[in-house]
Amino acid sequence: LNDGSIHYTDFSIEISVREDLPEEEYIDTIVHEMIHYYILSNDIQDDSKHGSIFQKIMHEISQKYGIRIKEV
């Protein structure tokens, strides 16, 4: 777009396998980062890095799927 706004189109998530973590921690980390991606890619304004919108989405996913997402 040529309207002067920033639009993110290329993302990657890298997870180190140097530590032998339980599968749940890898899933939690990926979901955590995907929440950030969802907020950013939809140009949603939150009030901080792990603000009220992030918290709302995190709690909805946690309740629906039983995933314990950390706010690291």
Side-chain angles (χ1 to χ4, degrees), residues 14-52:
E14 296 179 24
I15 297 175
S16 172
V17 292
R18 292 183 184 172
E19 294 183 46
D20 187 23
L21 299 174
E23 181 178 346
E24 295 82 23
E25 286 198 45
Y26 288 110
I27 292 169
D28 293 347
T29 300
I30 291 169
V31 172
H32 173 111
E33 296 305 326
M34 291 305 296
I35 294 170
H36 285 301
Y37 173 76
Y38 175 82
I39 291 170
L40 185 62
S41 65
N42 286 286
D43 294 322
I44 299 170
Q45 296 296 313
D46 206 346
D47 45 27
S48 68
K49 183 177 179 182
H50 297 118
S52 57

Side-chain angles (χ1 to χ4, degrees), residues 1-18:
L1 298 172
N2 291 329
D3 62 1
S5 62
I6 298 172
H7 296 277
Y8 299 96
T9 59
D10 189 23
F11 290 93
S12 67
I13 296 174
E14 296 179 24
I15 297 175
S16 172
V17 292
R18 292 183 184 172

Side-chain angles (χ1 to χ4, degrees), residues 48-66:
S48 68
K49 183 177 179 182
H50 297 118
S52 57
I53 293 173
F54 181 95
Q55 296 289 323
K56 179 180 181 282
I57 296 169
M58 180 183 71
H59 290 296
E60 288 173 357
I61 291 171
S62 293
Q63 287 195 348
K64 186 170 184 177
Y65 299 103

